[in-house]
Amino acid sequence: RENLKSRYSDLGLEVTISDFEKNIQTFLDSTTFAITKFLEYPQFTSYGANILSDSITSVKKDKFYSMGATLSKGMHLKIIISGGLWYYRLSPNGPKNFSISTYEDEKQVFELIEDNTECDLPIQFTIPPYDENGNRNKATSDTVKIEYFENYSPIPTKVKDIIIQ
């Protein structure tokens, strides 16, 4: 309920959400339904600590991290990163199962190629330099925004900021 209220508030909408928790609990208590599809963001993946996991809220500059997920059949994932500066390794250990857009409009899109497997890539962040006047380029900051678009959602299903230290 709180997540729904927060999401609608973020969209600028004021809504009343009915008491649906008791129906969900009744379903959980009386069904043999088993979850067969999943999308997971493990704390660690092939290249180290995973920036997509909930446990990562900051990163050390110039250190490699993973950006990975595990998806079951029929699941889809698109990640959009903006703000800050980031680099990813293309070879010899480059992206696994990610297509990567060109950097455009101060952001980059990483999208799953094939479901029912993992996607991962080694990524690092750095603190953007200052110009001769002591200002940063407007496109860069010490914070990176990550938007998750799960299962073809047209709006982010999750958004988080990561601080570069």
Side-chain angles (χ1 to χ4, degrees):
R1 178 184 302 278
E2 292 306 314
N3 288 342
L4 286 171
K5 285 181 185 177
S6 175
R7 182 66 184 140
Y8 280 114
S9 175
D10 290 347
L11 294 171
L13 301 171
E14 190 174 319
V15 298
T16 301
I17 300 170
S18 64
D19 181 18
F20 63 89
E21 292 93 345
K22 64 182 176 185
N23 295 329
I24 292 173
Q25 193 59 53
T26 299
F27 173 79
L28 292 173
D29 292 342
S30 62
T31 187
T32 58
F33 175 80
I35 296 173
T36 57
K37 292 187 175 188
F38 61 89
L39 196 158
E40 296 178 329
Y41 306 105
Q43 189 171 354
F44 293 91
T45 57
S46 302
Y47 305 109
N50 182 11
I51 64 164
L52 297 181
S53 78
D54 290 337
S55 65
I56 301 288
T57 57
S58 66
V59 293
K60 295 189 185 300
K61 69 176 186 159
D62 303 324
K63 177 183 175 196
F64 271 102
Y65 291 84
S66 273
M67 184 172 82
T70 304
L71 297 92
S72 64
K73 187 170 180 63
M75 305 296 275
H76 184 264
L77 177 64
K78 177 172 74 172
I79 300 292
I80 297 179
I81 299 180
S82 58
L85 287 177
W86 62 91
Y87 307 92
Y88 48 88
R89 192 179 299 149
L90 291 176
S91 65
N93 298 318
K96 290 184 199 174
N97 202 21
F98 266 126
S99 68
I100 303 169
S101 75
T102 56
Y103 181 85
E104 187 176 343
D105 296 327
E106 304 172 4
K107 64 184 175 187
Q108 196 160 28
V109 178
F110 302 82
E111 193 160 1
L112 176 74
I113 296 171
E114 182 181 346
D115 64 357
N116 205 25
T117 188
E118 72 172 345
C119 52
D120 202 359
L121 65 83
I123 190 167
Q124 71 180 54
F125 302 89
T126 193
I127 295 176
Y130 290 92
D131 67 15
E132 64 277 356
N133 298 320
N135 299 313
R136 289 225 171 104
N137 178 312
K138 68 179 180 118
T140 60
S141 70
D142 292 346
T143 303
V144 173
K145 179 180 178 181
I146 300 178
E147 296 176 281
Y148 303 64
F149 294 81
E150 299 168 328
N151 300 319
Y152 301 100
S153 174
I155 59 171
T157 51
K158 180 177 175 181
V159 177
K160 82 175 195 177
D161 291 325
I162 295 179
I163 298 166
I164 305 168
Q165 300 177 336

